Amino acid sequence: SREEVDQARDRFKAGVANNIEVIQAQDALARAHDNQIAALYRFNQARGWTSLGMGGVGRGRWDDAVIKFERVLTFADLEQVTVYASALNNAGLCYARLGDFDRAAKLQDRAVAFYSKHGRRVDYASALGELGNTYYQQGQPLRALPLYRQALSVAREANAPAAIWAGNLASANIDLEQWDEAEKSNDEAKRLATVGRAGGLAYYELNSAQIAR
């Protein structure tokens, strides 16, 4: 827009344009500047609501947290920004904890679609895993399996924490009585947790006890 203003002025000085063209170019520049400020303001608002929502998640206040994430989702112009995708994933997590699994899955599907092409791979792994968690909590371990497998694969490739997805994969295998696969997944979870010092070994030992029965 600034270039258009300069070009309009040059044309005016050369006598090939009138002053109206210059004024129109200046107006367009002002509007672009205002739009940029408004977009930055909305982005910072979205980050603020996300921070408040994560505070609710940390306290297990799913009903309160989801309200904050839904505020972010009202900013439709931010749909191609990671803060929006994060709100999709986290709102889905909250709805799943509240028992609204269909709504959760729809939001998390959108987060997975976004992160498959944009953003950090660790966030993609998280989105896949959380969608898997939603199906698992809904009593559909078979639908959770491929999502856990993919989350584990993506996390490994990104050198990101992966033990949780291997452990959740083992839990789904156990529910489906896939004992060999469960043992393999659980051993991988314990190995990754030990290497990454991620903790949670008690959870994997519980899996081991279920597998051994």
Side-chain angles (χ1 to χ4, degrees), residues 76-96:
D77 59 321
L78 298 181
E79 282 189 1
Q80 297 304 311
V81 181
T82 54
V83 69
Y84 191 95
S86 174
L88 287 170
N89 194 36
N90 288 315
L93 180 153
C94 292
Y95 281 123

Side-chain angles (χ1 to χ4, degrees), residues 58-70:
R59 297 190 302 276
R61 291 291 308 277
W62 315 113
D63 54 343
D64 180 65
V66 76
I67 293 171
K68 309 301 190 298
F69 296 130
E70 285 286 6

Side-chain angles (χ1 to χ4, degrees), residues 71-197:
R71 289 294 295 269
V72 179
L73 300 182
T74 64
F75 300 132
D77 59 321
L78 298 181
E79 282 189 1
Q80 297 304 311
V81 181
T82 54
V83 69
Y84 191 95
S86 174
L88 287 170
N89 194 36
N90 288 315
L93 180 153
C94 292
Y95 281 123
R97 298 302 190 279
L98 293 168
D100 193 345
F101 299 113
D102 290 341
R103 191 170 187 177
K106 287 178 182 177
L107 292 171
Q108 290 169 322
D109 266 329
R110 292 171 62 192
V112 166
F114 175 89
Y115 283 122
S116 69
K117 299 177 182 177
H118 312 283
R120 302 181 306 168
R121 301 301 286 174
V122 63
D123 292 328
Y124 182 34
S126 177
L128 287 163
E130 288 299 344
L131 180 56
N133 287 344
T134 293
Y135 287 131
Y136 185 78
Q137 291 169 55
Q138 195 177 15
Q140 299 191 64
L142 194 60
R143 293 189 72 178
L145 275 180
L147 292 160
Y148 286 149
R149 288 194 186 106
Q150 194 173 357
L152 176 59
S153 175
V154 172
R156 277 180 183 151
E157 291 171 3
N159 292 318
I164 185 173
W165 309 127
N168 289 1
L169 177 58
S171 294
N173 291 140
I174 290 169
D175 281 12
L176 294 166
E177 299 185 354
Q178 298 172 343
W179 305 115
D180 290 342
E181 288 299 315
E183 184 174 18
K184 180 180 176 182
S185 300
N186 200 53
D187 286 346
E188 177 70 353
K190 288 190 281 187
R191 185 188 70 79
L192 290 168
T194 301
V195 171
R197 298 179 181 179

Side-chain angles (χ1 to χ4, degrees), residues 4-25:
E4 291 176 2
V5 171
D6 292 339
Q7 290 172 0
R9 284 174 176 162
D10 290 342
R11 286 164 56 82
F12 177 70
K13 290 176 182 178
V16 294
N18 55 39
N19 200 38
I20 293 176
E21 187 175 327
V22 176
I23 293 171
Q24 289 175 334

